[in-house]
Amino acid sequence: MIGDIRAVLARYLPGYEVHTVVPAGQGQDNTVHLVNDELVVRARPADPAAVRREVALLDVVKDLVPVRVPDVLFSDDTTGVLAYRVLPGLPLDQHPVPDPKRLA
């Protein structure tokens, strides 16, 4: 998988130097890697169409919500890979909130 990530990065970000690729998690249908501590690369190879839908959704949502939304650098329809820069701050699930009901 790491070789695949290096290949897709070379294709879409020519000249980008990959120093580290670290597994950062996985879900039922995707895997996530952190590249150089600055890029999130997610792969959903079983359903590339879902990646296209997610990219379109992120583009719409970013103008509707008051929180930061990833700005996709590229997505690859054949491999089901998308990449974006790491957002600053803690992930929501790691940030204690005094009144979690307000998040809804």
Side-chain angles (χ1 to χ4, degrees):
M1 183 63 177
I2 291 175
D4 296 341
I5 290 171
R6 289 179 183 274
V8 77
L9 286 170
R11 180 176 175 192
Y12 287 99
L13 301 176
Y16 182 79
E17 292 187 31
V18 177
H19 301 289
T20 59
V21 179
V22 178
Q26 68 182 58
Q28 290 181 328
D29 60 355
N30 68 79
T31 59
V32 181
H33 287 78
L34 184 61
V35 178
N36 296 346
D37 292 323
E38 66 181 3
L39 294 182
V40 174
V41 178
R42 291 189 35 229
R44 198 173 189 170
D47 192 359
V51 173
R52 285 192 298 277
R53 290 190 303 272
E54 182 177 351
V55 170
L57 181 64
L58 288 171
D59 191 46
V60 170
V61 168
K62 71 181 178 188
D63 295 327
L64 301 174
V65 298
V67 296
R68 290 184 159 215
V69 174
D71 186 19
V72 177
L73 296 172
F74 68 84
S75 63
D76 184 286
D77 291 346
T78 58
T79 60
V81 171
L82 66 93
Y84 51 86
R85 296 205 180 278
V86 172
L87 295 176
L90 289 174
L92 189 57
D93 66 348
Q94 296 176 16
H95 194 279
V97 179
D99 187 4
K101 291 180 184 177
R102 293 195 66 198
L103 291 176

